[in-house]
Amino acid sequence: MKLNLRQIEVFRAIMLSGSISGASKLLFVSQPAVSRLIAYTEQRLGFALFERVKGRLYPTPEARRLFTEVTTLYQSVQRVNEVAENLAENREGQLRLSCSPSLGQSLMPRAIAAFRRRYPEVRVVLQTLIPSVMLQALLSQQVEIGVAYMPIDHPSLATLPLYENRIVAAVPSSHPLSTKSSVTMEEIAREPLIGYSPDIPFGMLIRSMFGGPEGQPEPVVEVQQAHVACALVQAAAGVALVDEITVKGPVWTDVVTVPIVDTVEVPVNVFHLQLEPLSRLAQEFIRVLRALDAGWRRHGPTDATEADDADGDDHANVN
């Protein structure tokens, strides 16, 4: 290797300043040290870089050609430093997320809106996936984190708890059950029920809440997703069992949620690869999610600004 980084640095300093003394000031070294190094560099290269005329240095054509490449090199180094600074400040990049379909209608839009206000240059990619497909997306690193309230069990995944989340009864605001402080599963079973396909995890969970085969009501409408059930309740097509996170927010007008006696907890969790460190952007997004929950607890569901209000002075990274 004919040129090392120190030789390139000294050559560039002379080209920029036009003299040995100017280069020594730029580099905070002595003039003799600069002179010795540039003479050694010329010896290694086999050609002169500067002509010395009456005490002044004049770059040779070879030096000017070499300086063009050196300038390109320094621009690349500057770009590396800029990227490193942007990464440190979370100013650019891409965050790939996944969530269950119902959370894609309620929780995630508000969280992403709050995140984007802080980091407008970051591109967010969101996929709404059922648990089995989300698992494959996480394992294949198509997405960095997944957010869901149904469990995703795999030895390669880590689970971070986010929110408590209960199954509640969703009923039209004009329904007699809407004024009750709580309802039983027996009362729900006597109503026109909007149910779920028995071959999906949430459908299996709801069936278990009604007990054995003899206690299973026949749904008047069968759907695949909780937010679709909420839309049917809003249209007064019947009553449904949904998780409370899905119905939080201003979307479902004329829908009342009623607590269920002996309800089931379905906590919302973040899932990610256990042995793969989370990026700074992913850590920040999880912090936004947690701040969003704090806003719900204080004020009830409003809009995406609640995450900014709830965040306060908590700027610690999530590990």
Coordinates of all heavy atoms in Angstrom, one line a residue, residues 36-127:
R36 N 8.6 16.4 6.3 CA 9.1 15.0 6.2 C 8.1 14.0 5.7 O 8.5 13.2 4.8 CB 9.6 14.6 7.6 CG 10.9 15.2 8.1 CD 11.4 14.5 9.3 NE 10.5 14.5 10.4 CZ 10.5 15.5 11.4 NH1 11.3 16.5 11.3 NH2 9.6 15.4 12.4
L37 N 6.9 14.1 6.1 CA 5.9 13.2 5.7 C 5.5 13.3 4.2 O 5.4 12.3 3.5 CB 4.6 13.3 6.5 CG 3.6 12.2 6.3 CD1 4.1 10.8 6.5 CD2 2.3 12.4 7.2
I38 N 5.4 14.5 3.7 CA 5.1 14.7 2.3 C 6.3 14.3 1.4 O 6.1 13.7 0.3 CB 4.6 16.2 2.0 CG1 3.8 16.2 0.7 CG2 5.8 17.1 1.9 CD1 2.5 15.4 0.8
A39 N 7.5 14.5 1.9 CA 8.7 14.0 1.1 C 8.7 12.5 1.1 O 9.0 11.9 0.0 CB 10.0 14.6 1.8
Y40 N 8.4 11.9 2.2 CA 8.3 10.4 2.2 C 7.2 9.9 1.3 O 7.4 8.9 0.6 CB 8.1 9.9 3.6 CG 7.9 8.5 3.8 CD1 9.0 7.6 3.6 CD2 6.7 7.9 4.1 CE1 8.9 6.2 3.7 CE2 6.5 6.5 4.2 CZ 7.6 5.7 4.0 OH 7.5 4.3 4.1
T41 N 6.1 10.6 1.3 CA 5.0 10.2 0.4 C 5.4 10.3 -1.1 O 5.1 9.3 -1.9 CB 3.8 11.1 0.7 OG1 3.4 11.0 2.0 CG2 2.6 10.7 -0.2
E42 N 6.1 11.3 -1.5 CA 6.5 11.4 -2.8 C 7.5 10.3 -3.2 O 7.5 9.8 -4.3 CB 7.2 12.8 -3.1 CG 6.2 14.0 -3.0 CD 6.8 15.3 -3.2 OE1 7.9 15.5 -2.6 OE2 6.3 16.2 -3.8
Q43 N 8.3 10.0 -2.2 CA 9.3 8.9 -2.5 C 8.6 7.6 -2.7 O 8.9 6.8 -3.6 CB 10.2 8.8 -1.3 CG 11.3 7.6 -1.4 CD 12.1 7.5 -0.2 OE1 12.0 8.3 0.7 NE2 12.9 6.5 -0.1
R44 N 7.5 7.3 -1.9 CA 6.8 6.1 -2.0 C 6.0 6.0 -3.4 O 5.9 5.0 -4.0 CB 5.8 5.9 -0.9 CG 6.4 5.6 0.5 CD 7.1 4.3 0.5 NE 6.2 3.2 0.1 CZ 5.4 2.5 1.0 NH1 5.4 2.9 2.3 NH2 4.7 1.5 0.6
L45 N 5.5 7.2 -3.8 CA 4.7 7.2 -5.0 C 5.6 7.1 -6.2 O 5.1 6.6 -7.3 CB 3.9 8.5 -5.0 CG 2.7 8.6 -4.1 CD1 2.1 10.0 -4.1 CD2 1.6 7.6 -4.4
G46 N 6.8 7.7 -6.2 CA 7.7 7.7 -7.3 C 7.5 8.9 -8.2 O 8.0 8.9 -9.3
F47 N 6.8 9.9 -7.8 CA 6.6 11.1 -8.5 C 6.4 12.3 -7.6 O 6.0 12.1 -6.4 CB 5.5 11.0 -9.6 CG 4.2 10.7 -9.0 CD1 3.3 11.7 -8.5 CD2 3.7 9.4 -9.1 CE1 2.1 11.4 -8.0 CE2 2.4 9.1 -8.6 CZ 1.6 10.1 -8.0
A48 N 6.7 13.5 -8.1 CA 6.5 14.7 -7.2 C 5.1 15.1 -7.2 O 4.3 15.0 -8.1 CB 7.4 15.8 -7.8
L49 N 4.7 15.6 -6.0 CA 3.4 16.1 -5.8 C 3.4 17.6 -5.9 O 2.3 18.2 -6.2 CB 2.8 15.7 -4.4 CG 2.6 14.2 -4.3 CD1 2.2 13.8 -2.8 CD2 1.4 13.7 -5.2
F50 N 4.5 18.2 -5.5 CA 4.6 19.7 -5.5 C 5.9 20.1 -6.1 O 6.9 19.5 -5.9 CB 4.4 20.2 -4.1 CG 3.2 19.8 -3.4 CD1 3.1 18.7 -2.5 CD2 2.0 20.6 -3.6 CE1 1.9 18.4 -1.9 CE2 0.8 20.2 -3.0 CZ 0.8 19.1 -2.1
E51 N 5.9 21.3 -6.8 CA 7.1 21.9 -7.2 C 7.3 23.1 -6.3 O 6.4 23.8 -5.9 CB 6.9 22.4 -8.7 CG 6.8 21.3 -9.7 CD 6.7 21.9 -11.1 OE1 6.7 23.1 -11.3 OE2 6.6 21.1 -12.0
R52 N 8.6 23.2 -5.9 CA 8.9 24.3 -4.9 C 9.6 25.4 -5.7 O 10.7 25.2 -6.2 CB 9.8 23.7 -3.8 CG 9.1 22.7 -3.0 CD 10.0 21.6 -2.4 NE 9.3 20.7 -1.6 CZ 8.7 19.6 -2.1 NH1 8.7 19.4 -3.4 NH2 8.1 18.7 -1.3
V53 N 9.0 26.6 -5.8 CA 9.5 27.7 -6.5 C 9.5 28.9 -5.6 O 8.4 29.4 -5.1 CB 8.6 28.0 -7.8 CG1 9.2 29.2 -8.5 CG2 8.5 26.8 -8.7
K54 N 10.7 29.4 -5.3 CA 10.9 30.6 -4.4 C 10.1 30.4 -3.1 O 9.4 31.4 -2.7 CB 10.4 31.9 -5.2 CG 11.3 32.2 -6.4 CD 10.8 33.5 -7.1 CE 11.7 33.8 -8.3 NZ 11.2 35.0 -9.0
G55 N 10.3 29.3 -2.5 CA 9.7 29.0 -1.2 C 8.2 28.7 -1.2 O 7.6 28.6 -0.1
R56 N 7.6 28.6 -2.4 CA 6.2 28.3 -2.4 C 6.0 27.0 -3.1 O 6.8 26.5 -3.9 CB 5.4 29.4 -3.2 CG 5.5 30.8 -2.5 CD 4.5 31.7 -3.2 NE 3.1 31.2 -3.0 CZ 2.0 31.9 -3.6 NH1 2.2 33.0 -4.3 NH2 0.8 31.4 -3.4
L57 N 4.8 26.3 -2.7 CA 4.5 25.0 -3.3 C 3.5 25.2 -4.4 O 2.5 25.9 -4.2 CB 4.0 24.1 -2.2 CG 4.9 23.7 -1.1 CD1 4.2 22.7 -0.1 CD2 6.2 23.0 -1.7
Y58 N 3.7 24.5 -5.5 CA 2.7 24.5 -6.6 C 2.4 23.0 -6.9 O 3.3 22.2 -7.2 CB 3.3 25.2 -7.8 CG 3.5 26.6 -7.6 CD1 4.7 27.1 -7.1 CD2 2.5 27.6 -7.9 CE1 4.9 28.4 -6.9 CE2 2.7 28.9 -7.7 CZ 3.9 29.4 -7.2 OH 4.1 30.7 -7.0
P59 N 1.1 22.6 -6.9 CA 0.7 21.2 -7.1 C 1.1 20.8 -8.6 O 0.9 21.6 -9.5 CB -0.8 21.2 -6.9 CG -1.1 22.4 -6.1 CD -0.1 23.4 -6.5
T60 N 1.6 19.6 -8.7 CA 1.8 19.1 -10.1 C 0.5 18.6 -10.7 O -0.5 18.4 -9.9 CB 2.8 17.9 -10.0 OG1 2.2 16.9 -9.2 CG2 4.1 18.4 -9.4
P61 N 0.4 18.3 -12.0 CA -0.8 17.8 -12.6 C -1.2 16.4 -11.9 O -2.3 16.2 -11.7 CB -0.4 17.6 -14.0 CG 0.7 18.6 -14.3 CD 1.4 18.7 -13.0
E62 N -0.2 15.7 -11.5 CA -0.4 14.4 -10.8 C -1.1 14.6 -9.5 O -2.0 13.9 -9.1 CB 0.9 13.6 -10.6 CG 1.5 13.0 -11.9 CD 2.3 14.1 -12.7 OE1 2.4 15.2 -12.1 OE2 2.7 13.8 -13.8
A63 N -0.6 15.7 -8.8 CA -1.2 16.0 -7.5 C -2.7 16.4 -7.6 O -3.6 16.1 -6.8 CB -0.4 17.1 -6.8
R64 N -3.0 17.2 -8.7 CA -4.3 17.7 -8.9 C -5.3 16.5 -9.2 O -6.4 16.5 -8.8 CB -4.4 18.7 -10.0 CG -3.6 20.0 -9.7 CD -3.8 21.1 -10.7 NE -3.1 22.3 -10.5 CZ -3.4 23.2 -9.6 NH1 -4.5 23.1 -8.9 NH2 -2.6 24.3 -9.4
R65 N -4.8 15.6 -10.0 CA -5.6 14.4 -10.3 C -5.8 13.5 -9.1 O -6.9 13.1 -8.8 CB -4.8 13.5 -11.4 CG -5.5 12.2 -11.7 CD -6.9 12.5 -12.4 NE -7.5 11.2 -12.6 CZ -8.4 10.6 -11.8 NH1 -8.7 11.2 -10.6 NH2 -9.0 9.5 -12.1
L66 N -4.8 13.4 -8.2 CA -4.9 12.6 -7.0 C -5.8 13.3 -6.0 O -6.6 12.7 -5.3 CB -3.5 12.5 -6.4 CG -3.4 11.5 -5.2 CD1 -3.8 10.1 -5.6 CD2 -2.0 11.5 -4.6
F67 N -5.8 14.6 -6.0 CA -6.7 15.4 -5.1 C -8.2 15.2 -5.4 O -9.0 15.2 -4.5 CB -6.3 16.9 -5.2 CG -7.1 17.7 -4.2 CD1 -6.9 17.5 -2.8 CD2 -7.9 18.8 -4.6 CE1 -7.6 18.3 -1.9 CE2 -8.6 19.5 -3.7 CZ -8.4 19.3 -2.3
T68 N -8.5 15.0 -6.7 CA -9.9 14.7 -7.1 C -10.4 13.5 -6.4 O -11.5 13.4 -5.8 CB -10.0 14.6 -8.6 OG1 -9.6 15.8 -9.2 CG2 -11.4 14.3 -9.0
E69 N -9.6 12.4 -6.3 CA -9.9 11.2 -5.7 C -10.0 11.3 -4.2 O -10.9 10.8 -3.5 CB -9.0 10.1 -6.1 CG -8.9 9.8 -7.6 CD -10.3 9.3 -8.1 OE1 -11.0 8.6 -7.4 OE2 -10.6 9.8 -9.2
V70 N -9.0 12.1 -3.6 CA -9.0 12.3 -2.2 C -10.3 13.1 -1.7 O -10.9 12.8 -0.7 CB -7.7 13.1 -1.8 CG1 -7.8 13.6 -0.3 CG2 -6.5 12.2 -2.0
T71 N -10.7 14.0 -2.6 CA -11.9 14.8 -2.2 C -13.1 13.9 -2.2 O -14.0 14.0 -1.3 CB -12.1 15.9 -3.3 OG1 -11.0 16.8 -3.2 CG2 -13.4 16.7 -2.9
T72 N -13.2 13.0 -3.2 CA -14.3 12.0 -3.2 C -14.3 11.1 -2.0 O -15.3 10.8 -1.3 CB -14.2 11.1 -4.5 OG1 -14.3 12.0 -5.6 CG2 -15.3 10.1 -4.5
L73 N -13.1 10.7 -1.6 CA -12.9 9.9 -0.4 C -13.4 10.6 0.9 O -14.2 10.0 1.7 CB -11.4 9.5 -0.2 CG -11.1 8.8 1.1 CD1 -11.8 7.4 1.2 CD2 -9.6 8.6 1.2
Y74 N -13.0 11.9 1.0 CA -13.5 12.6 2.2 C -15.0 12.9 2.2 O -15.6 12.9 3.3 CB -12.7 13.9 2.3 CG -11.4 13.8 3.1 CD1 -10.3 13.2 2.6 CD2 -11.4 14.2 4.5 CE1 -9.1 13.0 3.4 CE2 -10.2 14.0 5.2 CZ -9.1 13.4 4.7 OH -8.0 13.3 5.5
Q75 N -15.5 13.1 1.1 CA -17.0 13.2 1.0 C -17.7 12.0 1.5 O -18.7 12.0 2.1 CB -17.4 13.6 -0.4 CG -17.0 15.0 -0.8 CD -17.3 15.3 -2.3 OE1 -17.5 14.3 -3.1 NE2 -17.3 16.5 -2.7
S76 N -17.1 10.8 1.1 CA -17.7 9.5 1.5 C -17.6 9.4 3.1 O -18.5 8.9 3.7 CB -17.0 8.4 0.8 OG -17.2 8.4 -0.6
V77 N -16.4 9.8 3.6 CA -16.2 9.7 5.0 C -17.2 10.6 5.7 O -17.8 10.3 6.8 CB -14.8 10.1 5.4 CG1 -14.6 10.2 6.9 CG2 -13.8 9.0 4.9
Q78 N -17.4 11.8 5.2 CA -18.4 12.8 5.8 C -19.8 12.2 5.7 O -20.6 12.3 6.7 CB -18.4 14.1 5.0 CG -19.3 15.1 5.6 CD -19.2 16.5 4.8 OE1 -18.6 16.5 3.8 NE2 -19.7 17.5 5.4
R79 N -20.1 11.5 4.6 CA -21.5 10.8 4.6 C -21.6 9.8 5.6 O -22.7 9.6 6.2 CB -21.7 10.3 3.1 CG -23.0 9.5 2.9 CD -24.2 10.4 3.2 NE -25.4 9.7 3.2 CZ -26.5 10.0 3.7 NH1 -26.6 11.2 4.4 NH2 -27.6 9.3 3.6
V80 N -20.6 9.0 5.9 CA -20.6 8.0 6.9 C -20.9 8.6 8.3 O -21.7 8.1 9.1 CB -19.3 7.1 6.9 CG1 -19.2 6.3 8.2 CG2 -19.2 6.3 5.7
N81 N -20.2 9.7 8.5 CA -20.4 10.4 9.8 C -21.8 11.0 9.9 O -22.5 11.0 11.0 CB -19.4 11.6 9.9 CG -18.0 11.1 10.3 OD1 -17.9 10.0 10.9 ND2 -17.0 11.8 9.8
E82 N -22.4 11.5 8.8 CA -23.8 12.0 8.8 C -24.8 10.9 9.1 O -25.7 11.0 9.8 CB -24.1 12.6 7.5 CG -23.3 14.0 7.3 CD -23.6 14.5 5.9 OE1 -24.2 13.8 5.0 OE2 -23.1 15.6 5.6
V83 N -24.5 9.7 8.4 CA -25.4 8.6 8.7 C -25.4 8.1 10.1 O -26.4 7.9 10.8 CB -25.1 7.4 7.7 CG1 -25.8 6.1 8.1 CG2 -25.4 7.7 6.3
A84 N -24.1 8.1 10.7 CA -24.0 7.7 12.1 C -24.7 8.7 13.0 O -25.4 8.3 14.0 CB -22.5 7.6 12.5
E85 N -24.6 10.0 12.7 CA -25.3 11.0 13.5 C -26.8 10.8 13.4 O -27.5 11.0 14.4 CB -24.9 12.4 13.0 CG -25.5 13.5 13.9 CD -25.0 14.9 13.4 OE1 -24.1 15.0 12.6 OE2 -25.6 15.9 13.9
N86 N -27.3 10.6 12.1 CA -28.7 10.4 11.9 C -29.2 9.2 12.7 O -30.3 9.2 13.3 CB -29.0 10.2 10.5 CG -28.9 11.5 9.7 OD1 -29.0 12.6 10.3 ND2 -28.7 11.5 8.4
L87 N -28.5 8.1 12.7 CA -28.9 6.9 13.4 C -28.9 7.2 14.9 O -29.8 6.7 15.6 CB -27.9 5.8 13.1 CG -28.0 5.2 11.7 CD1 -26.8 4.2 11.5 CD2 -29.3 4.5 11.5
A88 N -27.9 8.0 15.4 CA -27.9 8.3 16.8 C -29.1 9.1 17.2 O -29.6 9.0 18.3 CB -26.6 9.0 17.2
E89 N -29.6 10.0 16.3 CA -30.7 10.9 16.6 C -32.0 10.3 16.1 O -33.1 11.0 16.1 CB -30.5 12.2 16.0 CG -29.2 13.0 16.5 CD -29.4 13.3 18.0 OE1 -30.5 13.5 18.4 OE2 -28.3 13.3 18.7
N90 N -32.0 9.1 15.5 CA -33.2 8.5 14.9 C -33.9 9.4 13.9 O -35.1 9.5 13.8 CB -34.3 8.2 16.0 CG -33.8 7.1 17.0 OD1 -33.1 6.2 16.6 ND2 -34.3 7.1 18.2
R91 N -33.0 10.0 13.0 CA -33.5 10.9 12.0 C -33.8 10.3 10.7 O -34.4 10.9 9.8 CB -32.5 12.1 11.8 CG -32.5 13.1 13.0 CD -32.0 14.4 12.5 NE -30.6 14.3 12.1 CZ -29.6 14.7 12.8 NH1 -29.7 15.1 14.0 NH2 -28.4 14.6 12.3
E92 N -33.4 9.0 10.5 CA -33.7 8.4 9.2 C -33.6 6.9 9.4 O -33.2 6.4 10.4 CB -32.7 8.8 8.1 CG -31.3 8.3 8.3 CD -30.4 8.6 7.1 OE1 -30.6 9.7 6.4 OE2 -29.5 7.8 6.8
G93 N -34.2 6.2 8.4 CA -34.2 4.7 8.5 C -35.6 4.2 8.2 O -36.5 4.9 7.7
Q94 N -35.8 2.9 8.5 CA -37.0 2.2 8.2 C -37.4 1.3 9.3 O -36.5 0.6 9.9 CB -36.9 1.5 6.9 CG -38.2 0.7 6.5 CD -38.1 0.1 5.1 OE1 -38.4 0.8 4.1 NE2 -37.7 -1.2 5.0
L95 N -38.6 1.3 9.7 CA -39.1 0.5 10.8 C -40.2 -0.4 10.2 O -41.2 0.0 9.7 CB -39.6 1.3 12.0 CG -40.1 0.5 13.2 CD1 -39.0 -0.3 13.8 CD2 -40.7 1.5 14.2
R96 N -40.0 -1.7 10.3 CA -40.9 -2.7 9.8 C -41.7 -3.4 11.0 O -41.1 -4.0 11.8 CB -40.2 -3.8 9.0 CG -39.4 -3.2 7.8 CD -38.9 -4.3 6.9 NE -40.0 -4.9 6.2 CZ -40.5 -4.5 5.0 NH1 -40.0 -3.4 4.4 NH2 -41.4 -5.2 4.4
L97 N -43.0 -3.2 11.0 CA -43.9 -3.6 12.1 C -44.9 -4.6 11.6 O -45.3 -4.6 10.4 CB -44.6 -2.4 12.7 CG -43.7 -1.2 13.1 CD1 -44.6 0.0 13.5 CD2 -42.8 -1.5 14.2
S98 N -45.5 -5.4 12.5 CA -46.6 -6.2 12.2 C -47.6 -6.1 13.4 O -47.1 -5.9 14.5 CB -46.3 -7.6 11.9 OG -45.6 -8.2 13.0
C99 N -48.8 -6.3 13.1 CA -49.8 -6.3 14.2 C -51.0 -7.2 13.8 O -51.2 -7.5 12.6 CB -50.3 -4.9 14.6 SG -51.3 -4.1 13.4
S100 N -51.8 -7.6 14.8 CA -53.0 -8.3 14.5 C -54.0 -7.4 13.8 O -54.0 -6.2 14.0 CB -53.6 -8.9 15.7 OG -53.8 -7.9 16.7
P101 N -54.9 -7.9 12.9 CA -55.8 -7.0 12.1 C -56.6 -6.0 13.0 O -56.8 -4.9 12.6 CB -56.7 -8.0 11.4 CG -55.8 -9.2 11.2 CD -55.0 -9.3 12.5
S102 N -57.1 -6.5 14.1 CA -58.0 -5.6 14.9 C -57.1 -4.4 15.5 O -57.6 -3.3 15.6 CB -58.7 -6.3 16.0 OG -57.7 -7.0 16.9
L103 N -55.9 -4.7 15.9 CA -55.0 -3.6 16.4 C -54.6 -2.7 15.3 O -54.3 -1.5 15.6 CB -53.8 -4.2 17.1 CG -54.0 -5.1 18.4 CD1 -52.7 -5.5 18.9 CD2 -54.8 -4.3 19.4
G104 N -54.6 -3.1 14.1 CA -54.4 -2.3 13.0 C -55.5 -1.3 12.7 O -55.3 -0.3 12.0
Q105 N -56.7 -1.5 13.3 CA -57.8 -0.6 13.2 C -57.9 0.4 14.4 O -58.6 1.4 14.3 CB -59.1 -1.4 13.1 CG -59.2 -2.2 11.9 CD -59.7 -1.4 10.7 OE1 -60.5 -0.5 10.9 NE2 -59.3 -1.8 9.5
S106 N -57.2 0.1 15.5 CA -57.4 0.9 16.7 C -56.1 1.4 17.3 O -55.7 2.6 17.1 CB -58.1 0.0 17.8 OG -57.4 -1.2 18.0
L107 N -55.3 0.5 17.9 CA -54.1 1.0 18.6 C -53.0 1.5 17.6 O -52.4 2.6 17.8 CB -53.5 -0.2 19.4 CG -52.1 -0.1 20.0 CD1 -52.2 0.9 21.1 CD2 -51.6 -1.4 20.5
M108 N -52.6 0.7 16.6 CA -51.4 1.0 15.8 C -51.5 2.3 15.0 O -50.5 3.0 15.0 CB -51.1 -0.2 14.9 CG -50.7 -1.4 15.6 SD -49.2 -1.3 16.6 CE -48.0 -1.5 15.3
P109 N -52.6 2.7 14.5 CA -52.7 4.0 13.8 C -52.3 5.2 14.7 O -51.6 6.1 14.3 CB -54.1 4.1 13.3 CG -54.6 2.7 13.1 CD -53.9 2.0 14.2
R110 N -52.8 5.1 15.9 CA -52.5 6.2 16.9 C -51.0 6.2 17.3 O -50.4 7.2 17.4 CB -53.4 6.1 18.1 CG -54.8 6.7 17.8 CD -55.7 6.6 19.0 NE -56.2 5.2 19.1 CZ -57.0 4.7 20.0 NH1 -57.3 5.5 21.0 NH2 -57.4 3.5 20.0
A111 N -50.5 5.0 17.5 CA -49.1 4.9 17.9 C -48.2 5.3 16.8 O -47.2 6.0 17.0 CB -48.8 3.4 18.3
I112 N -48.5 4.9 15.5 CA -47.6 5.3 14.4 C -47.7 6.8 14.2 O -46.7 7.5 13.9 CB -48.0 4.5 13.1 CG1 -47.7 3.1 13.3 CG2 -47.4 5.1 11.9 CD1 -48.2 2.2 12.2
A113 N -48.9 7.4 14.3 CA -49.0 8.9 14.2 C -48.2 9.6 15.2 O -47.5 10.6 14.9 CB -50.5 9.3 14.3
A114 N -48.2 9.1 16.5 CA -47.3 9.8 17.5 C -45.9 9.6 17.2 O -45.0 10.5 17.3 CB -47.7 9.2 18.8
F115 N -45.5 8.4 16.7 CA -44.1 8.1 16.4 C -43.6 9.0 15.2 O -42.5 9.6 15.2 CB -43.9 6.7 16.0 CG -42.6 6.2 15.6 CD1 -41.6 5.9 16.6 CD2 -42.2 6.1 14.3 CE1 -40.3 5.5 16.2 CE2 -40.9 5.7 13.9 CZ -40.0 5.4 14.9
R116 N -44.5 9.1 14.2 CA -44.1 9.9 13.0 C -44.0 11.4 13.3 O -43.2 12.1 12.6 CB -45.2 9.7 11.9 CG -45.1 8.3 11.2 CD -44.2 8.3 10.1 NE -44.6 9.3 9.1 CZ -43.7 10.1 8.5 NH1 -42.4 10.1 8.7 NH2 -44.1 11.0 7.6
R117 N -44.7 11.9 14.3 CA -44.5 13.3 14.6 C -43.2 13.6 15.2 O -42.6 14.6 15.0 CB -45.6 13.7 15.6 CG -46.9 14.1 15.0 CD -47.8 14.9 15.9 NE -48.0 14.2 17.2 CZ -49.0 13.2 17.4 NH1 -49.7 12.9 16.4 NH2 -49.1 12.7 18.5
R118 N -42.6 12.6 15.9 CA -41.3 12.8 16.4 C -40.2 12.5 15.4 O -39.1 13.1 15.4 CB -41.1 11.8 17.6 CG -42.0 12.0 18.8 CD -41.8 11.0 19.9 NE -42.8 11.1 20.9 CZ -42.8 10.4 22.0 NH1 -41.9 9.6 22.3 NH2 -43.8 10.5 22.9
Y119 N -40.4 11.5 14.5 CA -39.4 11.1 13.5 C -40.0 11.1 12.1 O -40.2 10.1 11.6 CB -38.8 9.7 13.9 CG -38.4 9.7 15.4 CD1 -39.1 9.0 16.3 CD2 -37.2 10.4 15.8 CE1 -38.7 9.0 17.6 CE2 -36.8 10.4 17.1 CZ -37.6 9.6 18.0 OH -37.2 9.6 19.3
P120 N -40.2 12.3 11.6 CA -40.9 12.4 10.3 C -40.1 11.8 9.1 O -40.7 11.5 8.1 CB -41.2 13.9 10.1 CG -40.2 14.5 11.0 CD -40.0 13.6 12.1
E121 N -38.8 11.6 9.3 CA -38.0 11.1 8.2 C -37.9 9.6 8.2 O -37.3 9.0 7.2 CB -36.6 11.7 8.3 CG -36.6 13.3 8.1 CD -35.2 13.8 8.2 OE1 -34.2 13.1 8.0 OE2 -35.1 15.0 8.5
V122 N -38.5 9.0 9.2 CA -38.4 7.5 9.3 C -39.6 6.9 8.5 O -40.7 7.3 8.7 CB -38.4 7.0 10.7 CG1 -38.5 5.5 10.8 CG2 -37.2 7.5 11.5
R123 N -39.3 5.9 7.6 CA -40.3 5.2 6.9 C -40.8 4.1 7.7 O -40.1 3.2 8.2 CB -39.8 4.7 5.5 CG -40.8 4.0 4.7 CD -40.2 3.8 3.3 NE -41.2 3.1 2.4 CZ -41.2 1.8 2.1 NH1 -40.2 1.0 2.7 NH2 -42.1 1.3 1.3
V124 N -42.2 4.0 7.9 CA -42.8 2.9 8.6 C -43.5 2.0 7.7 O -44.3 2.4 6.9 CB -43.8 3.4 9.7 CG1 -44.4 2.3 10.5 CG2 -43.0 4.4 10.7
V125 N -43.2 0.7 7.8 CA -43.9 -0.4 7.0 C -44.7 -1.2 8.0 O -44.2 -1.8 8.9 CB -43.0 -1.2 6.2 CG1 -43.7 -2.3 5.5 CG2 -42.2 -0.4 5.3
L126 N -46.1 -1.2 7.9 CA -46.9 -2.0 8.8 C -47.7 -3.1 8.0 O -48.3 -2.9 7.0 CB -48.0 -1.1 9.4 CG -49.0 -1.7 10.3 CD1 -48.4 -2.4 11.6 CD2 -50.1 -0.7 10.7
Q127 N -47.6 -4.3 8.6 CA -48.3 -5.5 8.0 C -49.3 -6.0 9.1 O -48.9 -6.2 10.2 CB -47.3 -6.6 7.6 CG -46.3 -6.2 6.6 CD -45.4 -7.4 6.2 OE1 -45.8 -8.6 6.3 NE2 -44.2 -7.1 5.8

